[in-house]
């Protein structure tokens, strides 16, 4: 039987790189995202590069019923999910709290917190029944520290941090590992999404220093997944060598 990993939000960035890394490691991968065309493209790319099976599921992680149905309807060959990477997430906007957009807040809370919970609720019973599994939540330095205008995004990632710890406590007796991987700035579509397609603003985030790349985070996930059975990585906080804290980045002029 193939080993199965499910990576949410794998049409781009960290999720895509992680899906590829896990497929290279020998997992057949279930990948999710809302953009069907991108998902098909990534699916083909992973299959071609690794020879593994890939199951693309077009899913909005905010839709609890759709998430539950997608997992319930998995065929036997895909059902035994061993690794769940809760990666789908976003920052929407960067505004002072008194000027923030309610729609942005809802999108972040619904995706980063509720979507992660829906996936965990759907998949963890499978792991419990098999007495094995590994859940990896992609948190952030924003889950450890708070920066100006980061208010709600940081709030969602602090929630991910707490949920990760709670999940670990609840599932430890079932032999399930729970890890959070918490990156600093990573050059992905993240800032383009945060600034709603404003390329100049998005590019400025990564100017003057070398940020992390999606592959760097995928390697951290892979490290956690490939530890021996008796070892669990609780949390990996990983940043560019030019970043010292959430708000302090050393940029060359
Ligand atoms: P990207 O924007 O490049 O990728 C985000 C992925 O999440 C896409 O595949 C997107 O797919 C998916 N996604 C977003 N919303 C939903 C949704 N409602 N349902 C399903 N999929 C969704 O960003 P990153 O790769 O950087 O972000 C991945 C994770 O890493 C996020 O949780 C982010 O908070 C976290 N992170 C990012 C950092 C960074 O600096 N880039 C640093 C620390 C953490 P689609 O649009 O097709 O639905
Ligand atoms: C994404 C990194 O620093 O914008 O989580 O919060 S940051």
């Amino acid at each position: 039987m193939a080993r199965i990993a499910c990576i949410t939000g794998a049409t781009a960035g960290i999720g895509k790189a992680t899906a590829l890394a896990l497929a290279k490691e020998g997992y057949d991968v279930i990948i999710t995202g809302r953009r069907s065309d991108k998902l098909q493209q990534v699916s083909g790319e992973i299959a071609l590069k690794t020879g593994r099976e890939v199951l693309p599921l077009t899913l909005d992680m905010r839709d609890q019923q759709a998430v539950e149905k997608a997992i319930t309807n998995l065929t036997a060959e895909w059902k035994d999910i061993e690794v769940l990477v809760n990666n789908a997430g976003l920052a929407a906007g960067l505004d002072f709290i008194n000027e923030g957009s309610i729609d942005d807040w809802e999108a972040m809370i619904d995706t980063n917190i509720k979507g992660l919970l829906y996936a965990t609720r759907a998949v963890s019973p499978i792991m419990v029944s098999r007495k094995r599994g590994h859940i990896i939540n992609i948190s952030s330095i924003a889950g450890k520290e708070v920066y100006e205008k980061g208010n709600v995004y940081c709030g969602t990632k602090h929630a991910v941090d707490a949920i990760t710890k709670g999940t670990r406590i609840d599932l430890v007796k079932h032999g399930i590992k729970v890890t959070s991987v918490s990156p600093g700035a990573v050059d992905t579509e993240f800032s383009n999404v945060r600034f709603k397609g404003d390329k100049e603003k998005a590019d400025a985030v990564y100017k003057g220093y070398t940020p992390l790349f999606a592959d760097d985070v995928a390697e951290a996930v892979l490290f956690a997944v490939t530890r021996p059975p008796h070892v669990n990585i609780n949390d990996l906080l990983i940043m560019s060598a030019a970043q010292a804290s959430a708000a302090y980045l050393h940029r060359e002029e």
Side-chain angles (χ1 to χ4, degrees), residues 5 7 17-27 29 83 85 221-222 225:
I7 302 95
T18 300
L20 181 60
L22 288 171
K24 278 186 182 159
E25 184 61 26
Y27 287 86
V29 291
V83 175
V85 184
V221 173
L222 197 63
V225 167

Side-chain angles (χ1 to χ4, degrees), residues 8-16 32-39 59-63 86-91 107 110-112 138-142 153 156-157 181-194 205-206 212 214 217 238:
T8 70
T11 53
I14 295 167
K16 177 182 171 185
T32 82
R34 291 164 300 176
R35 289 170 292 176
S36 226
D37 50 340
K38 278 245 174 199
L39 202 60
L59 260 188
D60 186 332
M61 300 310 293
R62 296 172 293 185
D63 183 342
N86 278 316
N87 165 77
L90 78 164
D110 289 351
T111 312
N112 301 358
I138 305 301
S139 184
S140 170
I141 181 63
Y153 178 69
T156 65
K157 290 300 182 178
V181 172
S182 307
V186 192
D187 189 356
T188 61
E189 293 180 6
F190 178 86
S191 292
N192 193 47
V193 171
R194 169 171 252 173
V205 174
Y206 310 109
L212 292 175
V217 183
I238 165 174

Side-chain angles (χ1 to χ4, degrees), residues 219-247:
E219 270 187 42
V221 173
L222 197 63
F223 176 77
V225 167
T226 53
R227 291 312 85 205
H230 69 290
V231 177
N232 181 57
I233 303 296
N234 285 4
D235 189 11
L236 279 171
L237 178 56
I238 165 174
M239 290 195 273
S240 154
Q243 186 171 14
S245 71

